[in-house]
Amino acid sequence: MSLRRRLSTSLPQLLGFTNRSFKSLKFPQQSLHCFNSSSESSLAHGIHVFHCPDGVGIVAKLSDCIASRGGNILGADIFVPENKKVFYSRSEFIFDPAKWPRAQMDEDFLKLSNMFNAMKSVVRVPILDPKYKISVLASKQDHCLVDLLHGWQDGRLPVDITCVISNHDRGPNTHVFRFLERHGIPYHYLHTTKENKREGEILDLVQDTDFLVLARYMQILSGNFLKSYGKDIINIHHGLLPSFKGGNPSKQAFDAGVKLIGATSHFVTEELDAGPIIGQMVERVCHRDNLKSFVQKSENLEKQCLVKAIKSYCELRVLPYEDNKTVVF
């Protein structure tokens, strides 16, 4: 039977596949059960991600777990790498919290996790669970920081910002300082030197966070800091092609006449700018660009790429893959 024919079969048959000849499978965003319109207002939206050794019946058990509690799968994205016995999935579903209490949901997915020896199993219900708490670290450049603050203010970012930390002193009359003061977000200026990165003080300030964001923070975090913090840190940097290192990379690239610029979001590791990549964006430039438009395009890419990485992380779209890669659903 052809692959096209197999994918058009009914869902119960599809859930029985075990020997997959394809690398990725997406279920369409459609209802698998019928709900009347009067009950839809009481339903909540849930997300579940799963990473475990590949085996028989994983999809069926995941689906049964949700359906047995009256839940309705809206979409499922599955990835099984070729020639590797590992399984990744991300499912979105709706459910009635009165029929499936949040604590019971955790217990049900924990049983599945134990059943399949999962390396990662996370469930999130955005309207019931607390928002992710983050701290933002920034240096002198404002473009990524300001964009994050406006995204948070507009509700485009599902996070709570606990504080902003910087090695650059922003005076009380600057627009960033006034914004933070108006919204009650603490601003901490920590002067750093080569001998003292103030990492102990930073750790004290970020202990109550779920992850950190480096919004063009131009300091290298040590391995001791990363181990002590123990949670994910998302970074953004330019991805000018070809690469230009050192001071003022945008001017270097402009002077060299490059035709393609970019930005990369990634997790922070001990190796500088070499952590697992979350996302990348590129844009063409040409002889008509002057240095101002060139820099503006580069900064716009950085802002967009960073915001997208944060949203993807909060929506449980990012999973670790092999030693230095990610699966991004």
Side-chain angles (χ1 to χ4, degrees):
M1 184 184 296
S2 69
L3 180 60
R4 181 185 297 274
R5 176 74 177 277
R6 290 165 64 188
L7 290 179
S8 66
T9 55
S10 65
L11 182 63
Q13 291 174 288
L14 186 61
L15 297 179
F17 288 172
T18 55
N19 297 319
R20 305 171 183 85
S21 59
F22 42 89
K23 296 181 180 179
S24 176
L25 169 64
K26 267 192 178 180
F27 295 154
Q29 295 286 328
Q30 62 184 14
S31 175
L32 302 183
H33 305 283
C34 293
F35 288 90
N36 59 51
S37 57
S38 63
S39 66
E40 289 181 354
S41 60
S42 64
L43 299 179
H45 174 257
I47 307 167
H48 178 251
V49 294
F50 206 52
H51 174 204
C52 68
D54 194 22
V56 175
I58 302 173
V59 176
K61 288 293 185 182
L62 286 170
S63 301
D64 183 63
C65 176
I66 296 169
S68 66
R69 298 292 185 178
N72 176 34
I73 296 177
L74 298 179
D77 202 338
I78 296 164
F79 174 59
V80 178
E82 188 175 1
N83 300 322
K84 297 182 184 296
K85 295 184 178 181
V86 289
F87 174 93
Y88 296 86
S89 73
R90 179 183 182 275
S91 306
E92 294 193 33
F93 57 94
I94 52 175
F95 69 100
D96 185 344
K99 296 179 180 178
W100 198 7
R102 188 66 182 82
Q104 182 64 56
M105 180 182 293
D106 283 335
E107 185 178 326
D108 291 343
F109 282 118
L110 178 60
K111 289 178 182 177
L112 281 178
S113 179
N114 294 332
M115 181 184 302
F116 292 105
N117 298 313
M119 289 80 88
K120 189 178 186 71
S121 176
V122 181
V123 63
R124 184 162 180 79
V125 182
I127 67 168
L128 299 179
D129 297 343
K131 290 183 179 180
Y132 286 102
K133 292 182 180 180
I134 71 168
S135 289
V136 182
L137 279 69
S139 290
K140 186 175 182 179
Q141 290 181 297
D142 280 343
H143 59 284
C144 285
L145 173 60
V146 169
D147 191 62
L148 287 183
L149 294 175
H150 287 161
W152 166 81
Q153 181 185 43
D154 297 341
R156 290 183 286 114
L157 286 177
V159 298
D160 282 330
I161 301 175
T162 63
C163 68
V164 172
I165 302 168
S166 179
N167 63 328
H168 175 70
D169 189 12
R170 289 174 172 82
N173 290 324
T174 60
H175 65 289
V176 170
F177 193 91
R178 291 198 302 269
F179 180 99
L180 296 174
E181 188 176 43
R182 185 164 64 250
H183 292 283
I185 301 174
Y187 179 80
H188 302 281
Y189 163 55
L190 300 177
H191 175 68
T192 60
T193 64
K194 289 183 178 180
E195 295 75 26
N196 185 5
K197 301 292 186 180
R198 312 290 291 272
E199 290 188 344
E201 294 164 81
I202 295 174
L203 280 172
D204 289 339
L205 293 170
V206 302
Q207 282 303 309
D208 192 32
T209 57
D210 296 300
F211 65 98
L212 300 182
V213 175
L214 307 187
R216 298 297 288 157
Y217 185 62
M218 306 307 290
Q219 299 292 315
I220 298 174
L221 299 175
S222 70
N224 286 334
F225 179 92
L226 301 181
K227 291 174 185 175
S228 298
Y229 181 62
K231 303 169 191 174
D232 289 324
I233 304 175
I234 296 176
N235 190 24
I236 185 71
H237 63 80
H238 67 82
L240 297 164
L241 305 175
S243 178
F244 294 88
K245 300 179 180 180
N248 209 338
S250 292
K251 188 176 186 307
Q252 291 183 55
F254 176 78
D255 290 342
V258 303
K259 302 304 181 188
L260 194 66
I261 60 174
T264 297
S265 59
H266 65 93
F267 291 112
V268 176
T269 60
E270 291 190 43
E271 188 176 355
L272 180 62
D273 291 341
I277 292 172
I278 302 171
Q280 292 179 298
M281 291 184 175
V282 295
E283 183 172 340
R284 293 192 178 279
V285 290
C286 70
H287 59 277
R288 297 185 185 279
D289 282 292
N290 56 32
L291 180 58
K292 183 178 180 179
S293 66
F294 187 99
V295 171
Q296 186 175 40
K297 287 181 178 180
S298 180
E299 291 183 350
N300 283 340
L301 285 175
E302 291 174 3
K303 292 188 294 186
Q304 295 171 44
C305 195
L306 181 57
V307 165
K308 186 174 182 180
I310 295 171
K311 290 181 68 175
S312 293
Y313 186 89
C314 293
E315 293 171 359
L316 304 184
R317 296 184 182 277
V318 185
L319 291 170
Y321 174 43
E322 295 185 334
D323 293 333
N324 201 42
K325 296 181 180 180
T326 56
V327 171
V328 182
F329 285 122

